[in-house]
Amino acid sequence: MNPVFAGSSHSAARPGGARSGRAAGEGAAAPEADNGRREREASPQPALPPRPVPAITSRSGVGFRRDAGGGRAPLGPRRALRGRGGPAARGRRRQRAGGAGGAGRTQRPGPGRVRAPPARGRRPRKMWAHIWGFLYSNYFRFWLKWILRLLTGKCELQRVLGGAEAGARRTLSIEHSLESSKNKVLRNAVHVEEAEVEKCVRDIMKEKKIEQKDTGFKTNLHISLLQISGYKKLYLNVENLRKVPYDSENEEHEEQLIELWNLLMPYENLKARISKQWCDIGFQGDDPKTDFRGMGLLGLVNLVYFSKHYTNEARQILSRSNHPKLGYSYAIVGINLTEMAYSLLKNGALKAHLYNMVSGLPQMEHFHQFYCYLVYEFDKFWFEEEPESIMHFNQYREKFHEKIKGLLLNCNVVLTLQDTKKP
């Protein structure tokens, strides 16, 4: 049976088919017509092109083609891929390739488009990093410490305290060593309170079989433990102050707010507690208490500290914040920078700065000093960047945040306003 196009006007010749049909419908045919029909049937007919049979893909993804007998003939790999799926499946693939806005068509890189390189190898590299970290912390590190102790005759704490200078590098190494230790006494050392540091030092020396006469080891370990415990205590103090909401019925809160006004606007009297004048120093409305909801009393304390200890700088920055093109809300930005300092303290990014700055217990004073550095540096950063409008504040704030985090990665970093100001 020869395949034909569907709907074609040609028909395949069937022996006796046409004759029997005519004989049933018309009776006996004329001899002339019968002779003419025989001549046409005997003459060679033009060859018809074979009917194309569409390739079909099964659910398993194997391509096949219907043969003439109705069976399925498998395709080769190339043709199976080329003919895989029907129009609906191809449309879905195009939508996945072109995205939601591609209207079902694949987005091809044109002159103005750059196709991003495929992210290959990221997951394997990340997986191998996790595997290596697990193997090192659980197996290799123990044997490395054991070998170094055989070679030097000193434990890891003795090697760190004897070789590194005072500051962040030494304290961070001690903190990591204690946290990674399998000894319970050493692991608990990073959680001791200030009053327990002396006893903790003696217990560590006893566990590591270090003579109590080694005053250098004892002093250096004592300082490092004070810095570690002091950082945790400082965070708790900052967190507690942040949780205190501003209360307009509290006289101390109100006094600090009025003090902030007097420090920044000494030549202008505040006409009323609730007044539009608060917008002159960068608050959003006529009652500043609504702006302290996120950071609580911590935001107000930071603003007052900067205005009190660096009055000239605070007034200068307030004046610059009223710039007709590059201006910003001074108080609101100050509260926003409080949140930045708080988040850096919370995630441990301020450890290097505070360990270098204080050889003992970090205090709230040191946190306020870091805040003053942020305010001063952000004002310079804002005017150097020259943003188009205040609507881009979040973008430039994040850029400034990344800059500060990069500086804090240096183990020798100390970020203070005294080092920033130039004569």
Side-chain angles (χ1 to χ4, degrees):
M1 182 182 296
N2 296 327
V4 297
F5 283 115
S8 172
S9 60
H10 301 281
S11 61
R14 284 193 266 175
R19 263 197 305 274
S20 59
R22 288 180 180 272
E26 300 177 3
E32 294 81 3
D34 186 65
N35 292 336
R37 185 168 60 253
R38 289 179 181 179
E39 292 177 359
R40 288 194 301 270
E41 290 178 355
S43 63
Q45 299 293 329
L48 298 177
R51 182 179 61 182
V53 181
I56 306 174
T57 304
S58 66
R59 292 185 178 182
S60 61
V62 178
F64 61 88
R65 181 186 296 276
R66 294 286 183 185
D67 58 14
R72 299 195 304 180
L75 296 175
R78 292 180 180 272
R79 300 182 70 182
L81 290 175
R82 186 168 59 244
R84 184 171 56 190
R90 288 194 293 272
R92 288 193 296 270
R93 288 198 297 273
R94 287 170 180 170
Q95 285 181 352
R96 287 195 295 268
R105 289 203 268 180
T106 304
Q107 298 284 340
R108 297 185 179 273
R113 298 175 185 165
V114 178
R115 176 176 291 177
R120 297 179 179 177
R122 291 183 181 178
R123 289 186 177 179
R125 285 197 298 267
K126 190 174 182 179
M127 179 184 68
W128 282 114
H130 284 298
I131 294 175
W132 167 250
F134 173 80
L135 293 176
Y136 175 78
S137 59
N138 289 275
Y139 299 100
F140 298 150
R141 187 174 183 276
F142 170 78
W143 292 108
L144 181 61
K145 289 168 58 178
W146 181 75
I147 294 173
L148 290 176
R149 179 149 192 171
L150 287 180
L151 295 176
T152 62
K154 297 179 180 179
C155 68
E156 185 178 32
L157 294 178
Q158 287 176 304
R159 294 194 301 271
V160 172
L161 293 173
E165 297 181 357
R169 191 179 300 276
R170 186 174 73 183
T171 301
L172 289 173
S173 299
I174 292 294
E175 188 174 11
H176 178 263
S177 177
L178 294 175
E179 290 175 343
S180 305
S181 177
K182 296 183 178 181
N183 188 301
K184 185 177 180 180
V185 175
L186 271 65
R187 287 200 310 271
N188 293 337
V190 297
H191 303 294
V192 297
E193 300 290 337
E194 178 185 358
E196 302 173 352
V197 169
E198 189 70 31
K199 179 180 180 299
C200 183
V201 171
R202 293 196 302 267
D203 293 343
I204 291 176
M205 296 180 72
K206 182 179 179 181
E207 286 287 330
K208 305 303 292 184
K209 299 179 181 179
I210 302 173
E211 296 183 0
Q212 298 291 333
K213 298 179 181 179
D214 192 346
T215 56
F217 177 87
K218 183 184 295 186
T219 302
N220 293 336
L221 182 59
H222 188 272
I223 293 174
S224 295
L225 290 181
L226 280 179
Q227 290 179 318
I228 295 171
S229 63
Y231 188 93
K232 298 178 184 297
K233 184 178 180 180
L234 174 61
Y235 167 70
L236 292 177
N237 292 337
V238 171
E239 176 68 13
N240 291 334
L241 187 59
R242 186 189 69 86
K243 290 181 178 180
V244 177
Y246 183 89
D247 186 6
S248 57
E249 302 296 328
N250 190 309
E251 293 184 3
E252 294 182 1
H253 297 182
E254 289 290 292
E255 288 177 359
Q256 291 187 66
L257 185 60
I258 299 302
E259 182 182 11
L260 176 64
W261 174 269
N262 294 331
L263 288 169
L264 294 175
M265 306 290 286
Y267 306 110
E268 184 176 346
N269 295 326
L270 187 64
K271 298 178 181 179
R273 165 62 181 79
I274 298 179
S275 170
K276 290 293 184 181
Q277 288 179 285
W278 290 111
C279 297
D280 296 341
I281 61 175
F283 287 103
Q284 290 182 333
D286 54 3
D287 191 355
K289 74 175 184 179
T290 58
D291 295 325
F292 295 118
R293 292 174 182 174
M295 287 291 105
L297 196 60
L298 179 63
L300 176 59
V301 171
N302 274 340
L303 287 170
V304 172
Y305 183 93
F306 180 62
S307 301
K308 181 184 294 185
H309 293 80
Y310 302 96
T311 307
N312 294 332
E313 288 76 11
R315 292 174 182 173
Q316 179 184 4
I317 293 175
L318 175 61
S319 177
R320 285 161 58 89
S321 69
N322 293 320
H323 191 278
K325 181 181 178 181
L326 303 177
Y328 57 87
S329 300
Y330 172 82
I332 297 300
V333 170
I335 297 173
N336 201 286
L337 294 175
T338 294
E339 191 277 332
M340 184 183 297
Y342 164 77
S343 65
L344 291 172
L345 178 69
K346 182 179 181 179
N347 62 28
L350 285 186
K351 286 184 177 180
H353 163 71
L354 292 175
Y355 291 166
N356 287 326
M357 189 176 182
V358 188
S359 60
L361 289 170
Q363 303 292 335
M364 185 68 76
E365 178 86 7
H366 303 114
F367 177 78
H368 294 326
Q369 287 286 338
F370 177 71
Y371 168 80
C372 295
Y373 171 86
L374 290 182
V375 175
Y376 190 84
E377 283 297 304
F378 179 81
D379 180 73
K380 292 199 310 182
F381 172 83
W382 181 265
F383 280 89
E384 288 173 359
E385 293 291 328
E386 296 185 354
E388 295 180 2
S389 70
I390 192 63
M391 301 302 294
H392 298 90
F393 172 78
N394 288 336
Q395 173 187 347
Y396 287 94
R397 179 207 181 272
E398 191 61 28
K399 186 176 180 180
F400 178 73
H401 192 192
E402 293 297 325
K403 175 184 176 182
I404 297 298
K405 288 194 294 186
L407 295 175
L408 292 171
L409 292 176
N410 185 358
C411 287
N412 299 319
V413 65
V414 177
L415 303 179
T416 59
L417 191 54
Q418 291 88 342
D419 297 335
T420 304
K421 292 191 301 181
K422 297 181 180 180

